[in-house]
Amino acid sequence: SSSARLTVEAVLSENGEIAFNYRDLTTSKPRELGDSATVGIEDPTGTAAVQHSYNQPVLVNGTAVVFRPAT
């Protein structure tokens, strides 16, 4: 829908963490919650990746998905 709106914020931290924050998701619309999306992060070559979800409506208003570098 061209009229649907939601808010996504990407936070890049000095320690290497990357956080995605979600807001304005409509819980009655699974598409907004991620049921047709891949949520994750990958390297520039696309050969190494960490996947949070794939085609699953798991996103929640006010909740962050945080990726932390290996220690």
Side-chain angles (χ1 to χ4, degrees):
S1 169
S2 62
S3 64
R5 299 289 182 263
L6 56 95
T7 301
V8 179
E9 174 186 45
V11 180
L12 308 176
S13 299
E14 290 179 5
N15 66 359
E17 284 186 359
I18 299 172
F20 296 105
N21 300 303
Y22 298 90
R23 193 176 71 208
D24 303 322
L25 303 173
T26 304
T27 58
S28 64
K29 296 181 181 178
R31 181 172 218 124
E32 289 185 19
L33 304 179
D35 82 341
S36 63
T38 301
V39 178
I41 191 166
E42 64 183 30
D43 73 348
T45 64
T47 57
V50 177
Q51 183 175 295
H52 173 70
S53 65
Y54 176 74
N55 291 344
Q56 297 294 316
V58 298
L59 301 176
V60 178
N61 276 317
T63 301
V65 176
V66 181
F67 298 93
R68 292 186 174 95
T71 55

